Amino acid sequence: MNEAFFDKKEYKPLDRVDGRLKVTGAARYSAEYPMPNMAYAVLVGSRIAKGTIKSIDSKAAERAPGVLAVISHLNAIKVPGYQSKGEHPSEPPTNGQPLRVFFDNKIYSNDQPVVAVVATSLEKAQYGASLVKIQYNKEQHQTNLEANAGNAVLPAAAKKNPKSPTADYDRGQKDAFDSAPVKIEAEYVLPTEVHNPMELQAITAHWEADDRLMVYDKVQGTKMAQKNFAKEWNIPEQNVKVISTFVGGAFGNGLHNWPHETAAIIAAKQVKRPVKLVLTREQMFTMVGYRPRTWQKIQMGATKDGKLVAINHQSIGQTSSYEEFTESTLQQTRMMYASPSISTRYRILPLDVATPIWMRGPGEATGAFGLESAMDEMAHAIGMDPVDFRLANYTESDPDKNVPWSTKYMRECYEEGKKRIGWENRKLKPGEVRDGEWLVGYGMGTGTFGANRNSATVHAELDKEGNLVMHCAITDIGPGTGTAMVQIASNTTGLPTEKITFHLGSSEFPNAGLQGGSSTVNSVGPAVQAACNALKGQLITMAAGKGNAAFTSAKPDDLMFDKAEIQLGGKSLKTTIADLFKQNNIEKIETTNESKPDENRNKYSMYAFSMHFAKVHVHPFTGQVRVMKIVCCADAGTIVSPKTAASQMIGGATGGIGMALTEDAVMDHRFGRYVTKDLADYHMPVHADVPDIDVYFVDKPDLLADPVGSKGLGEIAIIGVAPAIANAVFNATGKRIRELPITPDKLI
């Protein structure tokens, strides 16, 4: 990582503020809250992919020691929010409504939860679940995307709104590709990928009264979960409390409320005691979403000197038969390069599978594999360096929205990345560089993601000892949100980080959106900044009220702290916070401040950008691929917490290695069932697969995007990594692999 960060006084490396709690085991996750009279639920999943339940024999399970209830569609409490007005009970769930667990006897996908066994211990619930016997009426299922691609449809939102990100899009001359001097046409396939965070999905549900629900849940948005559960059970939002203080990794699977959560809440209501439900690793493959298998086709045309003429990009992604799932697979194609003609077509294919969900880098990581591979293919067809080809088609403003970028410093990323990876050693002709018996290749890929910002509110209190305590409902799924907010508060006030505490992860705290879409620092950070400035404003008013002339015309930006001593305009006043509080006879001051997007978002196009460079070794006889080095360059605005930001980039690059080389959820379409259902069969990169990852940040603020100047980097950390590796493999071998993962059998 570029050490220049650590020479800056305001950006000294800060250890994670919750690090000690996590490494000592003191941090509590959703399955670790003890409650009196706890019961335990285990789910039984369907063994068919489509059909109906013929019968359920639960007698043996009900008689088993410790079993409190066996719950299915035959006896489950009906969830009020399930039944839409005027909807026939036999109809499948409406668009946008998740699977209604225990609603009827219909089966929509393999391992759909159909029975919950509740007992006084986990082991007794597991044993009881093993005794349940279910018979089915099996129907013909369809789970193969390629075999059914002709049934793909335009998403409902795109049908209603032509400006939807998934609507058909055309810019420039529609047939420009046909007359382009140089043309390529290729198809790319990204397999199903599964999240597999360390922490299994878990919930502890407790009805404190008939209309008061408390849950400890693994979610990426406590307010979203609160709203969804309140709607589901037809109770006031304030009667639902959601706690998610610590999350053991989440890459999108916490952005949706899933059937197992409702199952636990139903169970708690029926047995009238708290119920804990933890999914198994196998159920993590089938019950909480995944990156959907996606097919793409790209037609790209260019002039012989490297100017793009046209890009036509099609994509089909799978979804469930009962709920539409869409993602921004084609967004990068619309705005990344200066092509006068762009055409995109996005379709989804309903299959007899569970609903997918956004996974790190959402659709942009999927689309970037196609687009950035095609850019590399075109550069090779022209005989041009891939970086030079991208620079020849660099956009100075957003060609999609036709407005200026708020900021864009990608040229710096290109140059720095080339230098750090040793790009001068790359040859245009594949297979020209060797290291002993290994073929050596260099590749690169570009990533981009919207610099999103949502409304957020922070409550802050400052006491006479100079302790600053803040509260916000935002969650932390692993990137170090609390650390970043403490750093922002320290930068804004001058208070030492050890005097600042940031509480998060409760729906009872002030409002914040989801942790997802690289929007947390951009949204909550400005609210922290606003709250700190409001507190400083109160101190200025207090001091001025006591006749201190120095404060009469002071502004919040003028006031800072050196520990507890107050400074104004950089000069010490020899006055402490305690002195000022004593003069005003108070113990503390507090404020609640909201920060929300402004009109700049209508005037500028706001994106974070990344550039990933990869060096690989490929063995010509075995097809083994070794990633030797990755360089990640990010244009993500202000880097608030460089230590955690670097960790984000390293984690994203590691995920990109998995996407490129190992991850593939293989389904046996005869049964509509995954063959890879655990971490032994589903291969994720391990330490031996991950090389030196060099991280570089441009670190130039984007103050048009938000007052902190940050643009988010959790998503761009992975977007572009997989094509960088695939392009490097081509440069090493001359073999273009268009279906991930790149495994030895595809190279030999």
Short mmCIF file of all heavy atoms in Angstrom, two decimals, residues 578-605:
data_model
loop_
_atom_site.label_atom_id
_atom_site.label_comp_id
_atom_site.label_asym_id
_atom_site.label_seq_id
_atom_site.Cartn_x
_atom_site.Cartn_y
_atom_site.Cartn_z
N ALA A 578 -14.15 20.66 30.18
CA ALA A 578 -14.67 20.62 31.55
C ALA A 578 -14.87 22.03 32.10
O ALA A 578 -15.87 22.30 32.79
CB ALA A 578 -13.71 19.83 32.45
N ASP A 579 -13.94 22.94 31.79
CA ASP A 579 -14.08 24.33 32.25
C ASP A 579 -15.36 24.95 31.68
O ASP A 579 -16.12 25.60 32.41
CB ASP A 579 -12.87 25.17 31.81
CG ASP A 579 -11.58 24.74 32.46
OD1 ASP A 579 -11.65 24.15 33.56
OD2 ASP A 579 -10.51 24.97 31.86
N LEU A 580 -15.57 24.75 30.41
CA LEU A 580 -16.73 25.35 29.75
C LEU A 580 -18.03 24.76 30.28
O LEU A 580 -19.02 25.47 30.49
CB LEU A 580 -16.62 25.14 28.23
CG LEU A 580 -17.57 25.94 27.35
CD1 LEU A 580 -17.47 27.43 27.64
CD2 LEU A 580 -17.26 25.68 25.88
N PHE A 581 -18.04 23.43 30.51
CA PHE A 581 -19.24 22.80 31.05
C PHE A 581 -19.52 23.28 32.47
O PHE A 581 -20.67 23.49 32.86
CB PHE A 581 -19.07 21.27 31.04
CG PHE A 581 -19.41 20.63 29.71
CD1 PHE A 581 -18.98 21.18 28.51
CD2 PHE A 581 -20.16 19.48 29.64
CE1 PHE A 581 -19.28 20.61 27.30
CE2 PHE A 581 -20.47 18.89 28.43
CZ PHE A 581 -20.03 19.46 27.24
N LYS A 582 -18.45 23.47 33.24
CA LYS A 582 -18.62 23.94 34.63
C LYS A 582 -19.17 25.35 34.65
O LYS A 582 -20.06 25.68 35.46
CB LYS A 582 -17.27 23.88 35.36
CG LYS A 582 -17.36 24.23 36.83
CD LYS A 582 -16.01 24.06 37.52
CE LYS A 582 -16.11 24.39 39.00
NZ LYS A 582 -14.79 24.22 39.68
N GLN A 583 -18.66 26.20 33.74
CA GLN A 583 -19.16 27.57 33.66
C GLN A 583 -20.65 27.62 33.37
O GLN A 583 -21.37 28.50 33.83
CB GLN A 583 -18.40 28.35 32.57
CG GLN A 583 -16.94 28.61 32.87
CD GLN A 583 -16.22 29.20 31.68
OE1 GLN A 583 -16.84 29.66 30.72
NE2 GLN A 583 -14.89 29.18 31.71
N ASN A 584 -21.14 26.64 32.59
CA ASN A 584 -22.54 26.61 32.20
C ASN A 584 -23.37 25.64 33.04
O ASN A 584 -24.56 25.43 32.75
CB ASN A 584 -22.65 26.23 30.72
CG ASN A 584 -22.23 27.36 29.80
OD1 ASN A 584 -23.04 28.17 29.38
ND2 ASN A 584 -20.94 27.42 29.49
N ASN A 585 -22.71 25.02 34.04
CA ASN A 585 -23.40 24.15 35.00
C ASN A 585 -24.14 22.99 34.30
O ASN A 585 -25.31 22.72 34.56
CB ASN A 585 -24.39 24.96 35.85
CG ASN A 585 -24.85 24.17 37.07
OD1 ASN A 585 -24.11 23.33 37.60
ND2 ASN A 585 -26.08 24.43 37.51
N ILE A 586 -23.47 22.34 33.36
CA ILE A 586 -24.06 21.19 32.67
C ILE A 586 -23.07 20.03 32.68
O ILE A 586 -21.86 20.21 32.86
CB ILE A 586 -24.44 21.52 31.21
CG1 ILE A 586 -23.22 22.02 30.43
CG2 ILE A 586 -25.56 22.55 31.15
CD1 ILE A 586 -23.49 22.22 28.96
N GLU A 587 -23.59 18.82 32.49
CA GLU A 587 -22.76 17.61 32.48
C GLU A 587 -22.43 17.16 31.06
O GLU A 587 -21.39 16.55 30.83
CB GLU A 587 -23.48 16.47 33.21
CG GLU A 587 -23.73 16.74 34.69
CD GLU A 587 -22.43 16.75 35.49
OE1 GLU A 587 -21.60 15.85 35.25
OE2 GLU A 587 -22.26 17.64 36.33
N LYS A 588 -23.34 17.45 30.14
CA LYS A 588 -23.12 17.02 28.76
C LYS A 588 -23.99 17.84 27.82
O LYS A 588 -24.94 18.52 28.24
CB LYS A 588 -23.45 15.53 28.59
CG LYS A 588 -24.93 15.19 28.74
CD LYS A 588 -25.17 13.71 28.48
CE LYS A 588 -26.67 13.39 28.58
NZ LYS A 588 -26.94 11.96 28.30
N ILE A 589 -23.65 17.75 26.53
CA ILE A 589 -24.50 18.32 25.48
C ILE A 589 -24.78 17.22 24.46
O ILE A 589 -24.03 16.25 24.36
CB ILE A 589 -23.84 19.54 24.79
CG1 ILE A 589 -22.46 19.17 24.23
CG2 ILE A 589 -23.74 20.70 25.75
CD1 ILE A 589 -21.80 20.29 23.44
N GLU A 590 -25.87 17.36 23.73
CA GLU A 590 -26.22 16.34 22.75
C GLU A 590 -26.90 16.96 21.55
O GLU A 590 -27.40 18.10 21.61
CB GLU A 590 -27.10 15.27 23.38
CG GLU A 590 -28.41 15.78 23.96
CD GLU A 590 -29.15 14.66 24.69
OE1 GLU A 590 -29.46 13.65 24.03
OE2 GLU A 590 -29.43 14.82 25.89
N THR A 591 -26.93 16.19 20.46
CA THR A 591 -27.55 16.66 19.23
C THR A 591 -27.92 15.47 18.37
O THR A 591 -27.35 14.39 18.50
CB THR A 591 -26.58 17.58 18.44
OG1 THR A 591 -27.23 18.10 17.29
CG2 THR A 591 -25.35 16.82 17.99
N THR A 592 -28.92 15.64 17.53
CA THR A 592 -29.29 14.64 16.54
C THR A 592 -29.33 15.32 15.19
O THR A 592 -30.04 16.32 15.01
CB THR A 592 -30.67 14.02 16.86
OG1 THR A 592 -30.62 13.39 18.14
CG2 THR A 592 -31.04 12.98 15.81
N ASN A 593 -28.56 14.78 14.25
CA ASN A 593 -28.43 15.45 12.96
C ASN A 593 -28.61 14.47 11.80
O ASN A 593 -28.07 13.36 11.82
CB ASN A 593 -27.06 16.11 12.84
CG ASN A 593 -26.90 17.27 13.80
OD1 ASN A 593 -26.57 17.06 14.96
ND2 ASN A 593 -27.15 18.47 13.32
N GLU A 594 -29.36 14.93 10.81
CA GLU A 594 -29.55 14.15 9.59
C GLU A 594 -28.73 14.75 8.47
O GLU A 594 -28.60 15.97 8.36
CB GLU A 594 -31.03 14.13 9.18
CG GLU A 594 -31.29 13.33 7.91
CD GLU A 594 -32.72 13.43 7.42
OE1 GLU A 594 -33.40 14.42 7.77
OE2 GLU A 594 -33.15 12.54 6.67
N SER A 595 -28.17 13.88 7.64
CA SER A 595 -27.48 14.33 6.44
C SER A 595 -28.09 13.58 5.26
O SER A 595 -28.36 12.38 5.34
CB SER A 595 -25.98 14.03 6.52
OG SER A 595 -25.32 14.48 5.36
N LYS A 596 -28.33 14.27 4.17
CA LYS A 596 -28.96 13.63 3.02
C LYS A 596 -28.40 14.21 1.73
O LYS A 596 -27.80 15.28 1.72
CB LYS A 596 -30.48 13.80 3.08
CG LYS A 596 -30.97 15.22 3.22
CD LYS A 596 -32.48 15.22 3.45
CE LYS A 596 -33.00 16.63 3.65
NZ LYS A 596 -34.47 16.64 3.89
N PRO A 597 -28.61 13.51 0.63
CA PRO A 597 -28.07 13.96 -0.66
C PRO A 597 -28.59 15.34 -1.05
O PRO A 597 -29.70 15.72 -0.67
CB PRO A 597 -28.56 12.89 -1.65
CG PRO A 597 -28.84 11.69 -0.81
CD PRO A 597 -29.30 12.21 0.52
N ASP A 598 -27.78 16.05 -1.82
CA ASP A 598 -28.19 17.39 -2.26
C ASP A 598 -28.38 17.41 -3.78
O ASP A 598 -28.32 16.38 -4.45
CB ASP A 598 -27.17 18.45 -1.81
CG ASP A 598 -25.77 18.16 -2.32
OD1 ASP A 598 -25.63 17.48 -3.37
OD2 ASP A 598 -24.79 18.60 -1.68
N GLU A 599 -28.60 18.61 -4.31
CA GLU A 599 -28.92 18.76 -5.73
C GLU A 599 -27.75 18.44 -6.65
O GLU A 599 -27.91 18.31 -7.87
CB GLU A 599 -29.42 20.19 -6.01
CG GLU A 599 -28.38 21.29 -5.84
CD GLU A 599 -28.17 21.71 -4.39
OE1 GLU A 599 -28.83 21.12 -3.50
OE2 GLU A 599 -27.36 22.62 -4.16
N ASN A 600 -26.54 18.30 -6.10
CA ASN A 600 -25.39 17.95 -6.94
C ASN A 600 -25.59 16.64 -7.68
O ASN A 600 -25.02 16.42 -8.75
CB ASN A 600 -24.12 17.86 -6.09
CG ASN A 600 -23.54 19.22 -5.76
OD1 ASN A 600 -23.78 20.20 -6.47
ND2 ASN A 600 -22.79 19.31 -4.67
N ARG A 601 -26.40 15.77 -7.11
CA ARG A 601 -26.61 14.46 -7.72
C ARG A 601 -27.40 14.55 -9.02
O ARG A 601 -27.40 13.60 -9.80
CB ARG A 601 -27.30 13.51 -6.74
CG ARG A 601 -26.42 13.27 -5.55
CD ARG A 601 -26.68 12.07 -4.72
NE ARG A 601 -25.44 11.81 -3.98
CZ ARG A 601 -24.57 10.87 -4.26
NH1 ARG A 601 -24.81 10.05 -5.26
NH2 ARG A 601 -23.48 10.72 -3.57
N ASN A 602 -28.05 15.68 -9.23
CA ASN A 602 -28.74 15.89 -10.50
C ASN A 602 -27.86 16.59 -11.53
O ASN A 602 -28.18 16.61 -12.72
CB ASN A 602 -30.00 16.73 -10.27
CG ASN A 602 -30.98 16.05 -9.34
OD1 ASN A 602 -31.17 14.84 -9.41
ND2 ASN A 602 -31.59 16.83 -8.45
N LYS A 603 -26.73 17.13 -11.07
CA LYS A 603 -25.87 17.92 -11.95
C LYS A 603 -24.63 17.16 -12.41
O LYS A 603 -24.01 17.52 -13.41
CB LYS A 603 -25.42 19.20 -11.23
CG LYS A 603 -26.56 20.11 -10.81
CD LYS A 603 -26.02 21.30 -10.03
CE LYS A 603 -27.13 22.23 -9.55
NZ LYS A 603 -26.59 23.36 -8.75
N TYR A 604 -24.25 16.13 -11.64
CA TYR A 604 -23.01 15.42 -11.92
C TYR A 604 -23.24 13.91 -11.90
O TYR A 604 -24.18 13.42 -11.27
CB TYR A 604 -21.93 15.77 -10.88
CG TYR A 604 -21.56 17.23 -10.85
CD1 TYR A 604 -22.22 18.12 -10.00
CD2 TYR A 604 -20.56 17.72 -11.67
CE1 TYR A 604 -21.88 19.47 -9.97
CE2 TYR A 604 -20.21 19.07 -11.66
CZ TYR A 604 -20.88 19.93 -10.80
OH TYR A 604 -20.55 21.26 -10.78
N SER A 605 -22.37 13.21 -12.58
CA SER A 605 -22.37 11.75 -12.52
C SER A 605 -21.30 11.33 -11.52
O SER A 605 -20.14 11.73 -11.64
CB SER A 605 -22.07 11.16 -13.89
OG SER A 605 -22.18 9.76 -13.86
#
